[in-house]
Amino acid sequence: MNAQFEELIARLGEIADFNNAAGVLSWDQQTYMPPGAIRARAQQLTTLRRTAHERFTSDEIGQLLDDLEPQVAELEPGSYEASLIRVTRRDYDRQRKLSADLVARLTRTTALAREAWERARKASDFALFLPHLDEILDLSVEIAEALGYEDRIYDALLDRFEPGLKTARIEALFAEMKAGLVPLGQAIAGQQGRADDTFLHQDFPVDRQWDFGLEVITRLGFDFEHGRQDRSAHPFTTSFTPADVRLTTRLSPGNFKSALFGSIHEAGHGMYNQGIPMDLARTPLARGASLGVHESQSRMWENIVGRSRGFWTFWLPRLREYFPSQLEGVTVDAFYRAVNRVEPSLIRVEADEVTYNLHIFVRFEIENLMLERKVRLSDLPELWKTKMEEYLGVWPADDADGVLQDVHWSSGMLGYFPTYSLGNILSAQFYDQAVSEIPDIPAQIEKGEFGSLLGWMRTNIHARGAKYTPAELVELVTGGPIRTEPFLDYARSKYAEIYGL
Ligand code: ZN
């Protein structure tokens, strides 16, 4: 590597240090910071993030990229040097297109909108949030125009989370998912008695939930030498380098499922972060390929592994030692059915595997209508209800359980929701590929052995960091395009068996 490359690496490393330091402060804000520190912390975060942004979008970085691009043109695209230049260029061009003024206006607007959204949700009054959403939509359109797009305005916003993926492709994938999942959900709706989960709604002391969760994620392969778990109001995972990955979880005595599967989900994200090679650290390659690919890891561990019969064949006897009275007489089969109970509900974050994606389709369609100015914002509460009835057969009684339930729009994150469904699609596609190469994986899971599956994900997904776009990665790993069949086959056969369809 020549001096210019070394120069670029050094600069990117410093920028990463600013961002990672901001990450530590932000993690602290959501876990341990006393409430009175909020203003001071906001200043610290603004300074660090602005400094990182200014350094990254500097003319010097642009010049280095200009000089280095011809030098790596002949290298293999997956090589460290070629990937680093390509991905840094993509990030650089994107961030240069957004003026400092636009970024500052977005920061200000979303800070106020977040507060307004919390008030509006509490009061279940969309009108309180409407003027803020109006501003955020204007800003989102401005951002999309600045970033540019060829076909659909949604493309520009989606590309921030799923590099290279187009709205039309997402629509095609979602249409296949809809065609499979809506009838499946309807068939299940008539069979509710088959999955009784009442025993899960007893009192499960939170300290034991905590201990059991730790035991599970340790055995799955989350490395506590390079990570930790803490409590927060909203579970999340963050990583400062692959050597320091933080999970959070939320515990409540009456909601055993939410804490355990939440912990497994976040550990799935965390193991991805820990699996990124240290020699990619402090560069733009030291992250997941996309949010959807990230979500494929969390959803695979949470659902395909964590809600499988084999998994509970191993874990239920152990869980019974933690909660002997609550689980007295509960068989593996009964437990398996209980954690896979399907029930159309109003709230996305509480949704089961079958209906979860339907919530996403509602949001994706509405966001497109918003960005294409095909719906008046004041009509959103009604539109939301109509679509919820169409997809899930439920009708929100109020805005708190309807259009106001998610934080994303108040944070300016239009274009984000499809990443969740994409994660589900990819979770099954990657898992199928792993099992086709290592057929013993389901038998290993039944014995409480998860090393082969994690090892396959490490080699094929984690070790590549952000070198490839989601479509490139899927092609490389599975030899074909992104496909919905693995997820639909998985969902149909699993739930046909549970519900006797
Ligand atoms: Zn997630």
Side-chain angles (χ1 to χ4, degrees):
M1 260 182 271
N2 64 25
Q4 275 184 312
F5 201 88
E6 297 292 347
E7 165 80 13
L8 179 68
I9 295 285
R11 283 175 184 265
L12 293 176
E14 282 183 8
I15 293 161
D17 290 343
F18 279 103
N19 281 323
N20 289 331
V24 178
L25 292 183
S26 177
W27 168 84
D28 173 69
Q29 179 173 338
Q30 295 174 76
T31 49
Y32 295 106
M33 189 188 80
I38 188 89
R39 291 180 72 89
R41 182 56 47 89
Q43 282 169 339
Q44 294 156 356
L45 282 167
T46 305
T47 301
L48 287 172
R49 295 228 162 92
R50 192 185 54 229
T51 306
H53 180 78
E54 284 168 2
R55 286 181 174 229
F56 185 66
T57 54
S58 67
D59 295 340
E60 288 80 2
I61 296 277
Q63 189 61 55
L64 284 165
L65 288 170
D66 287 345
D67 293 345
L68 285 163
E69 270 166 345
Q71 299 177 33
V72 300
E74 301 296 311
L75 296 178
E76 197 267 308
S79 69
Y80 172 66
E81 291 84 355
S83 304
L84 185 78
I85 301 299
R86 186 177 63 246
V87 171
T88 306
R89 165 63 78 187
R90 191 177 72 206
D91 289 0
Y92 179 81
D93 285 351
R94 188 184 292 146
Q95 292 201 31
R96 284 276 284 204
K97 286 175 183 166
L98 303 178
S99 67
D101 166 64
L102 180 53
V103 173
R105 276 187 291 140
L106 184 69
T107 307
R108 249 195 328 270
T109 305
T110 52
L112 295 172
R114 174 73 186 254
E115 272 191 324
W117 169 76
E118 277 171 20
R119 266 186 292 120
R121 191 178 182 204
K122 217 170 197 169
S124 193
D125 184 356
F126 182 68
L128 295 175
F129 182 50
L130 179 58
H132 298 272
L133 185 58
D134 202 22
E135 277 184 63
I136 283 174
L137 180 58
D138 285 348
L139 279 168
S140 300
V141 169
E142 199 178 331
I143 288 168
E145 299 296 345
L147 293 173
Y149 54 89
E150 283 167 18
D151 184 18
R152 303 271 292 274
I153 186 168
Y154 202 89
D155 289 344
L157 301 183
L158 176 68
D159 194 72
R160 298 179 296 174
F161 310 115
E162 299 299 330
L165 215 58
K166 300 289 184 234
T167 310
R169 179 83 184 111
I170 294 282
E171 278 175 346
L173 292 168
F174 285 7
E176 293 171 17
M177 292 280 278
K178 248 185 276 182
L181 293 176
V182 171
L184 181 61
Q186 285 166 349
I188 291 170
Q191 307 284 333
Q192 278 309 326
R194 286 176 169 266
D196 177 14
D197 68 349
T198 45
F199 64 86
L200 288 176
H201 296 286
Q202 305 173 71
D203 190 56
F204 287 81
V206 292
D207 53 340
R208 288 195 202 166
Q209 286 191 50
W210 174 266
D211 290 345
F212 180 69
L214 284 186
E215 188 178 330
V216 170
I217 63 177
T218 303
R219 194 165 178 117
L220 294 180
F222 184 77
D223 173 10
F224 281 89
E225 190 61 27
H226 298 104
R228 50 180 289 133
Q229 179 180 263
D230 295 88
R231 293 175 74 163
S232 71
H234 303 284
F236 66 95
T237 297
T238 183
S239 128
F240 316 129
T241 74
D244 189 352
V245 177
R246 309 294 175 98
L247 317 175
T248 69
T249 193
R250 165 173 57 190
L251 298 168
S252 77
N255 203 342
F256 168 81
K257 268 204 282 193
S258 138
L260 177 66
F261 291 105
S263 275
I264 297 175
H265 179 99
E266 298 306 329
H269 285 301
M271 289 189 285
Y272 192 171
N273 292 334
Q274 289 180 335
I276 290 171
M278 273 312 282
D279 53 12
L280 302 184
R282 299 176 79 237
T283 78
L285 299 176
R287 57 175 193 238
S290 74
L291 294 192
V293 175
H294 231 295
E295 195 70 4
S296 78
Q297 300 301 288
S298 55
R299 295 294 270 182
M300 183 197 76
W301 291 106
E302 176 193 355
N303 289 333
I304 298 178
V305 177
R307 290 181 209 261
S308 68
R309 188 178 261 118
F311 185 86
W312 287 105
T313 302
F314 176 80
W315 281 109
L316 185 64
R318 184 71 185 128
L319 182 63
R320 203 177 276 117
E321 291 172 28
Y322 282 87
F323 303 106
S325 64
Q326 291 89 340
L327 296 174
E328 205 189 328
V330 174
T331 62
V332 170
D333 191 60
F335 195 87
Y336 169 67
R337 285 164 191 274
V339 297
N340 285 296
R341 184 181 163 83
V342 173
E343 194 162 32
S345 66
L346 296 171
I347 307 297
R348 173 184 64 86
V349 296
E350 291 164 11
D352 54 78
E353 282 182 282
V354 174
T355 59
Y356 186 92
N357 297 291
L358 307 178
H359 289 263
I360 300 302
F361 307 154
V362 168
R363 288 151 178 78
F364 173 66
E365 287 174 17
I366 290 178
E367 285 187 339
N368 269 286
L369 293 171
M370 286 163 68
L371 286 161
E372 290 168 7
R373 307 286 193 188
K374 288 179 179 161
V375 58
R376 286 213 320 261
L377 294 188
S378 54
D379 292 336
L380 285 189
E382 276 311 298
L383 179 62
W384 186 283
K385 290 174 182 172
T386 310
K387 285 196 178 287
M388 285 299 285
E389 181 164 55
E390 180 191 337
Y391 281 121
L392 286 131
V394 294
W395 184 265
D398 56 29
D399 294 343
D401 284 345
V403 68
L404 285 174
Q405 67 180 266
D406 292 308
V407 69
H408 301 62
W409 292 345
S410 74
S411 311
M413 294 198 291
L414 275 83
Y416 187 108
F417 283 116
T419 71
Y420 292 119
S421 279
L422 192 65
N424 290 327
I425 292 168
L426 294 175
S427 69
Q429 202 173 354
F430 289 145
Y431 180 80
D432 271 15
Q433 187 64 32
V435 173
S436 78
E437 293 175 28
I438 311 173
D440 195 38
I441 283 175
Q444 293 178 13
I445 290 174
E446 210 171 312
K447 285 184 243 152
E449 291 163 15
F450 306 98
S452 300
L453 180 57
L454 179 59
W456 189 93
M457 294 294 157
R458 284 259 189 276
T459 308
N460 289 283
I461 315 278
H462 309 173
R464 290 172 162 142
K467 283 183 178 179
Y468 301 98
T469 67
E472 288 167 351
L473 183 66
V474 170
E475 176 76 39
L476 203 60
V477 173
T478 71
I482 299 171
R483 293 167 57 237
T484 58
E485 287 87 347
F487 181 81
L488 289 172
D489 288 348
Y490 157 76
R492 282 198 202 100
S493 65
K494 176 173 176 177
Y495 290 96
E497 192 263 329
I498 292 176
Y499 282 97
L501 306 175

